[in-house]
């Protein structure tokens, strides 16, 4: 039985964000983690060599530079250096070509040639209102937008690029592939309104606050969050699997950084049947199958400029990605899946040693797919980087099915905790005005299965914590998240 004010199950980015808010509100907070280390999707570990670390899940963090929670938390002031590559992401195409999304919008437009003006018209207005666009997409999606102009700009672009009309806006393959590769981060059918929203969010941030990597790995973000929690009296229990909510019955509020499947397992039959049935019907998206490589030298891309990007999308043309992603969403395995590659040492050379360099890659596959992804991923890289296989010193493969065994929140390998459809983008996990409150008194869901959904932004945890403060403790003042002693602020971050 817990003796704390608040018990949090799961220490992924949202569980940690909730812990920061609640501990800074002066509550006694205990966090329970089944794994031996905290972090969830923010873990970094030495897999092959003690001097070379790999990011186990997430690696690139545009939301850590842009989200309202992290803007207020201020990672930089806490010693977390977000390193910005010159090229946010690259998209190789056959024939040695590559589309490049430079941090500079002007340089990107110049690189895209005839499609440069169209790219500028698409991304420029979003950049001008970037903070409002980010805050709208990363809100709880239950209130009117603060900036109606930003909302209209976004809605227009989502409507066009969420349909078959979007590709017609570009003349060449490069620009349409560049945008579709970002849309594929939604991990689902293409095109769709949800994938278009993701493309607009991440696409414009590539030219704004960027797609940075934390120096030393993603675990640095988790460490900064945990240090703030412990500085305000929070306590961590690692290697502790909570099997039933009854174990936490002494806490006035329980926040679950779990999937809906995890909530069902913890709550048992205590949930009202109608709510439980909705959780059971919650749809999970395609899986991620990951390969961590230790290589002897930088990836030998056909276009050397690709090596200046830390993030590389391997999916071919717009038409190829539409076919691949739609098939995968329908649980059809493809021979050439969409693959995302990250080369951390391209911007953080301290991550590499002579002859030893980490490379991170995952493929989109059907949910629950047990296939070892190594051959598929290596072949996708070698298509645009001949000779890559000869540089591989060692590797570790994790199938989509095995990803769930590693972290039960990744149901069937779904690292986003739920399919990103238009309906589930809003009604996560069920349609409720306050999606964080469950029907059980004092029990809240704070994972990415709640709005605003997946990515390392902390907003699901932040918003769930505000709900818990109001409903379980009668606290309406919002704690200041800036470094230093906790103080009370008058409004929300951002």
């Amino acid at each position: 039985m817990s003796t704390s004010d608040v018990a949090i199950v799961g220490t992924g980015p949202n569980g940690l964000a909730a812990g920061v808010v609640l501990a800074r509100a002066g509550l006694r907070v205990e966090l329970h983690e089944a794994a031996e280390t905290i972090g969830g999707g923010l873990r970094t570990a030495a897999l092959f060599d003690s001097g070379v670390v790999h990011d186990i899940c997430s690696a690139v963090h545009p939301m850590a530079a842009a989200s309202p929670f992290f803007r207020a938390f201020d990672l930089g002031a806490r010693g977390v250096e977000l390193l910005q590559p010159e090229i946010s992401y690259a998209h190789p195409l056959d024939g040695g070509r590559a589309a490049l999304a430079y941090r500079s919008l002007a340089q990107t437009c110049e690189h895209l040639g005839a499609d440069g003006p169209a790219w500028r018209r698409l991304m420029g207005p979003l950049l001008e209102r970037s903070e409002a666009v980010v805050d709208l997409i990363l809100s709880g999606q239950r209130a009117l937008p603060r900036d109606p102009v930003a909302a209209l700009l976004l809605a227009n672009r989502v409507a066009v690029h969420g349909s078959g009309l979007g590709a017609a806006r570009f003349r060449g393959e490069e620009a349409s592939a560049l945008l579709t590769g970002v849309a594929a981060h939604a991990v689902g059918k293409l095109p769709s309104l949800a994938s278009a929203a993701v493309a607009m969010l991440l696409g414009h941030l590539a030219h704004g606050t960027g797609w940075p990597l934390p120096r030393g790995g993603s675990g640095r973000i988790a460490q900064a969050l945990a240090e703030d929690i412990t500085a305000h009296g929070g306590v961590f229990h690692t290697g502790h699997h909570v099997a039933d909510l009854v174990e936490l019955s002494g806490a006035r509020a329980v926040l679950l950084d779990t999937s809906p499947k995890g909530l069902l397992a913890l709550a048992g039959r205590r949930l009202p049947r109608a709510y439980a049935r909705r959780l059971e019907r919650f749809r999970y998206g395609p899986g991620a199958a990951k390969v961590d490589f230790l290589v002897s030298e930088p990836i030998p891309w056909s276009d050397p400029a690709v090596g200046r990007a830390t993030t590389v999308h391997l999916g071919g043309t717009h038409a190829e990605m539409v076919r691949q992603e739609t098939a995968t969403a329908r649980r059809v395995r493809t021979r050439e899946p969409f693959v995302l590659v990250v080369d951390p040492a391209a911007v953080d050379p301290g991550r590499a040693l002579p002859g030893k360099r980490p490379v991170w890659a995952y493929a989109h596959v059907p949910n629950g797919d047990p296939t070892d992804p190594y051959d598929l991923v290596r072949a996708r890289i070698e298509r645009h980087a001949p000779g890559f296989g000869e540089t591989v010193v060692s590797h570790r493969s994790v199938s989509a099915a095995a990803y769930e065994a590693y972290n039960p929140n990744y149901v069937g390998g779904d690292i986003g905790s739920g399919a990103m459809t238009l309906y589930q983008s809003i009604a996560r996990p069920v349609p409720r005005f306050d999606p964080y409150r469950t029907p059980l008194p004092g029990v809240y869901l704070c994972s990415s299965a709640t709005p605003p959904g997946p990515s390392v932004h902390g907003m699901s945890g932040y918003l769930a914590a505000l709900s818990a403060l109001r409903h379980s403790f009668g606290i309406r003042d919002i704690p200041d998240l800036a470094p230093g002693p906790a103080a009370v602020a008058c409004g929300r971050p951002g």
Side-chain angles (χ1 to χ4, degrees):
M1 177 179 293
S2 176
T3 59
S4 61
D5 295 316
V6 179
I8 298 175
V9 178
T11 62
N14 286 305
L16 292 172
V20 166
V21 174
L22 295 165
R24 281 178 163 261
L27 301 174
R28 293 171 300 159
V29 178
E30 295 188 10
L31 299 95
H32 304 266
E33 172 57 56
E36 294 299 328
T37 57
I38 66 163
L42 288 173
R43 292 189 178 107
T44 301
L47 296 178
F48 311 107
D49 185 284
S50 60
V52 179
V53 295
H54 285 70
D55 292 313
I56 305 303
C57 299
S58 61
V60 182
H61 296 280
M63 292 298 100
S67 89
F69 172 78
F70 280 114
R71 289 201 308 264
F73 188 71
D74 195 350
L75 287 167
R78 299 168 185 275
V80 180
E81 186 178 358
L82 297 179
L83 303 174
Q84 297 281 2
E86 173 196 2
I87 299 173
S88 293
Y89 65 97
H91 193 111
L93 293 164
D94 289 340
R97 300 170 295 152
L100 306 172
Y102 289 87
R103 182 89 184 278
S104 163
L105 177 61
Q107 198 169 357
T108 303
C109 294
E110 181 180 355
H111 168 77
L112 291 174
D115 280 324
W119 193 268
R120 184 183 298 278
R121 287 193 297 273
L122 181 66
M123 297 298 177
L126 297 177
L127 275 173
E128 291 173 4
R129 283 184 151 80
S130 182
E131 191 168 303
V133 170
V134 171
D135 290 358
L136 174 61
I137 295 178
L138 296 188
S139 70
Q141 301 163 1
R142 298 298 189 273
L144 292 174
R146 297 180 184 179
D147 185 338
V149 175
L152 287 172
L153 287 170
L154 182 63
N156 174 268
R157 286 158 172 74
V158 168
V160 171
H161 291 276
S163 69
L165 301 173
R169 296 296 177 98
F170 301 114
R171 301 179 190 178
E173 289 184 342
E174 284 83 355
S176 60
L178 199 63
L179 187 64
T180 307
V182 183
H185 280 245
V187 197
K189 174 183 175 294
L190 292 177
S192 70
L193 295 177
S195 68
V198 170
M200 295 306 113
L201 174 63
L202 296 180
H204 94 273
L205 288 178
H207 312 300
T209 51
W211 287 22
L213 283 76
R215 185 183 295 278
S218 297
R220 288 288 297 114
I221 298 177
Q223 181 183 349
L225 293 165
E227 287 173 353
D228 191 79
I229 293 170
T230 54
H232 291 89
V235 176
F236 286 85
H237 304 283
T238 57
H240 177 217
H241 172 66
V242 177
D244 194 295
L245 288 179
V246 71
E247 299 175 40
L248 309 173
S249 58
R252 292 174 62 186
V254 175
L255 282 80
L256 305 176
D257 188 5
T258 69
S259 67
K261 183 178 178 181
L263 170 56
L264 285 166
L266 285 164
R269 297 182 179 180
R270 290 186 288 278
L271 288 169
R273 188 58 196 146
Y275 183 84
R277 279 197 298 269
R278 286 177 172 174
L279 294 182
E280 290 164 355
R281 291 196 295 266
F282 185 76
R283 287 179 53 198
Y284 295 94
K290 187 165 182 283
V291 184
D292 294 294
F293 295 96
L294 185 68
V295 299
S296 59
E297 60 188 67
I299 301 172
W301 299 110
S302 297
D303 183 341
V306 175
R308 287 149 52 199
T310 47
T311 302
V312 182
H313 298 151
L314 303 178
T317 65
H318 165 80
E320 289 173 323
M321 285 182 281
V322 167
R323 286 196 300 270
Q324 293 157 6
E325 290 294 274
T326 300
T328 300
R330 293 173 177 166
R331 294 180 177 265
V332 177
R333 185 184 301 139
T334 69
R335 297 181 64 183
E336 294 188 319
F338 180 88
V339 169
L340 193 152
V341 178
V342 176
D343 182 3
V347 71
D348 186 2
R351 295 279 297 272
L353 295 175
K356 297 174 183 179
R357 185 182 183 99
V359 170
W360 177 108
Y362 74 77
H364 293 173
V365 298
N367 189 280
D369 192 329
T371 306
D372 184 319
Y374 174 69
D375 290 334
L376 286 173
V377 171
R378 185 195 62 205
R380 286 300 263 165
I381 297 174
E382 287 191 324
R383 177 172 171 176
H384 302 286
F388 169 74
E390 298 171 11
T391 73
V392 176
V393 176
S394 190
H395 79 276
R396 183 194 75 152
S397 299
V398 183
S399 70
Y403 237 151
E404 181 175 358
Y406 161 73
N407 187 336
N409 280 358
Y410 301 157
V411 178
D414 176 4
I415 57 177
S417 287
M420 285 298 292
T421 62
L422 178 62
Y423 177 77
Q424 282 201 173
S425 297
I426 300 169
R428 294 174 75 87
V430 301
R432 290 169 70 89
F433 180 74
D434 184 342
Y436 313 100
R437 293 179 71 188
T438 77
L440 300 179
V443 178
Y444 303 82
L445 191 63
C446 69
S447 70
S448 56
T450 62
S455 193
V456 179
H457 45 60
M459 288 301 294
S460 298
Y462 170 77
L463 293 168
L466 294 190
S467 181
L469 284 176
R470 288 193 304 271
H471 297 291
S472 290
F473 300 96
I475 299 173
R476 294 191 174 274
D477 292 325
I478 300 173
D480 183 4
L481 303 183
V488 173
C490 298
R492 299 171 185 271

